[in-house]
Amino acid sequence: MNTMTKYWNKNWQLYLLLALPLLFFAIFKYGPMYGILISFKEFNFFEGISGSRWIGFAAFKEVFHMHDFYITLRNTLMLNFLDLIVSFPAPLLIAIMLYELKKEWFRKLSQTVLYIPHFISWVIIGGIVYQLFGTQSGAVNNVLSLFGIDAIPFLTDKNYWLNTYLLTGVWQSAGWGTIIYLAALTGINRELFEAAEVDGAGRFRRIWHITLPGLQPTILTLLIINLGNMVSIGFERPFVIGNVTVREYSQVLSTFVYNIGLESGQYTLATAVGLFQSVVGLIFVLGANYVSKKMTDQGIL
């Protein structure tokens, strides 16, 4: 039995396990890339992608001349940037606090409670938000009215809506985001904490000098990934929580694609916007990775 046969007999289970995710990516991630061609063609539903006429970059020129495109691009960048400031540190802080807890049962209970919102769909979360923060019948405004305080337009004033949008995002995603940080924290040698404690280091000093440096690679990796999504934004959250009165802020690229693609049937323009988001996202990832390597000598590529 030669060396190759021995190696295969020993490791074929690993390749079989690897084949499943590779097959998933080939079918659901790389296969749909063929649809990118629609952005360069005058797509005709009956002639299909291959039969439609080539138009070059005409769709991109049309998109870049649309006033609504720049408004949605501004809103997308603004919401993602604010999300980065508000939502990105939240899982890190929660993970550090959970890690510092001494009571094991309380830590597990807290983790479970914090994870639950991640499994709730945005449709249900939208209903909860309107029940809580509605101007006329929302629970919060009803409580405020009992104390003689005027109703706050959480969902109908653009500035209040922005705060509601960001806090809802933190509530929904912060608990789930702690998983990665907690996993990274388990890799830090506990003897470092014990030695620092013996040397008289307080809790905040241990966090500053041991915990945060230990989490630095994880923080940088997640930050680079988040920067790659600066021009991409989920459809559900702004669509469900947004409404006509705050359209000035709630209209983003994903809802713009939905409007021109599915509602207006302009598939070529919608695909062009989607391709624009992907290309800019790739530039952001490569740029952030380059800066990270220059500053910390660490990156993901």
Side-chain angles (χ1 to χ4, degrees):
M1 188 178 290
N2 58 35
T3 307
M4 181 61 74
T5 305
K6 287 181 180 176
Y7 175 81
W8 178 251
N9 287 336
K10 182 181 179 182
N11 299 295
W12 68 270
Q13 297 95 336
L14 297 176
Y15 285 96
L16 183 62
L17 288 173
L18 184 63
L20 293 175
L22 286 178
L23 194 63
F24 171 83
F25 274 92
I27 295 174
F28 296 105
K29 298 295 182 183
Y30 290 98
M33 285 186 181
Y34 175 64
I36 290 173
L37 291 176
I38 293 176
S39 61
F40 302 102
K41 291 194 168 192
E42 189 178 8
F43 181 67
N44 186 305
F45 188 80
F46 296 102
E47 294 178 352
I49 298 176
S50 58
S52 299
R53 185 172 66 87
W54 287 97
I55 58 171
F57 291 92
F60 292 92
K61 292 178 182 176
E62 186 175 346
V63 166
F64 294 148
H65 281 90
M66 297 172 76
H67 179 64
D68 284 350
F69 170 73
Y70 290 100
I71 293 176
T72 55
L73 178 61
R74 180 205 66 185
N75 291 343
T76 303
L77 290 171
M78 178 185 70
L79 293 178
N80 280 333
F81 179 71
L82 292 175
D83 247 346
L84 193 66
I85 294 174
V86 177
S87 299
F88 183 75
L92 175 62
L93 296 174
I94 293 172
I96 291 173
M97 285 191 289
L98 288 174
Y99 190 70
E100 291 293 324
L101 290 176
K102 300 299 181 187
K103 299 289 185 184
E104 186 69 20
W105 67 269
F106 186 75
R107 182 166 64 182
K108 290 184 176 179
L109 177 65
S110 303
Q111 284 179 244
T112 304
V113 171
L114 289 168
Y115 293 163
I116 288 174
H118 174 77
F119 299 100
I120 303 175
S121 77
W122 274 107
V123 176
I124 297 174
I125 291 177
I128 295 172
V129 169
Y130 276 93
Q131 289 296 321
L132 284 175
F133 300 111
T135 305
Q136 300 296 330
S137 57
V140 174
N141 277 321
N142 285 337
V143 172
L144 291 177
S145 67
L146 295 176
F147 296 96
I149 301 173
D150 294 336
I152 298 174
F154 291 107
L155 301 173
T156 53
D157 179 90
K158 61 183 183 183
N159 294 318
Y160 282 109
W161 179 86
L162 196 56
N163 293 320
T164 307
Y165 174 89
L166 293 172
L167 293 176
T168 304
V170 172
W171 174 73
Q172 194 270 346
S173 63
W176 184 254
T178 60
I179 291 176
I180 297 176
Y181 289 117
L182 286 172
L185 282 168
T186 58
I188 300 176
N189 191 346
R190 292 294 304 178
E191 291 180 357
L192 292 174
F193 292 98
E194 293 168 2
E197 196 170 352
V198 171
D199 289 342
R203 174 165 292 169
F204 290 105
R205 192 168 290 276
R206 294 199 300 271
I207 291 173
W208 183 257
H209 290 288
I210 300 175
T211 305
L212 289 177
L215 290 175
Q216 187 185 22
T218 307
I219 296 170
L220 285 174
T221 302
L222 294 178
L223 182 61
I224 291 171
I225 293 173
N226 274 276
L227 286 173
N229 293 323
M230 281 300 285
V231 290
S232 300
I233 190 166
F235 172 78
E236 298 92 344
R237 188 170 156 204
F239 184 77
V240 169
I241 300 179
N243 55 72
V244 178
T245 57
V246 293
R247 187 182 175 87
E248 186 180 345
Y249 280 177
S250 66
Q251 184 76 335
V252 293
L253 281 176
S254 56
T255 55
F256 180 69
V257 169
Y258 171 78
N259 291 333
I260 64 172
L262 293 181
E263 290 189 344
S264 304
Q266 302 180 73
Y267 301 109
T268 300
L269 297 183
T271 311
V273 175
L275 183 57
F276 166 80
Q277 288 178 278
S278 301
V279 172
V280 176
L282 178 63
I283 294 171
F284 268 98
V285 168
L286 295 177
N289 187 67
Y290 176 79
V291 173
S292 174
K293 278 190 171 180
K294 285 289 181 185
M295 295 179 66
T296 65
D297 204 29
Q298 292 179 345
I300 61 174
L301 297 174

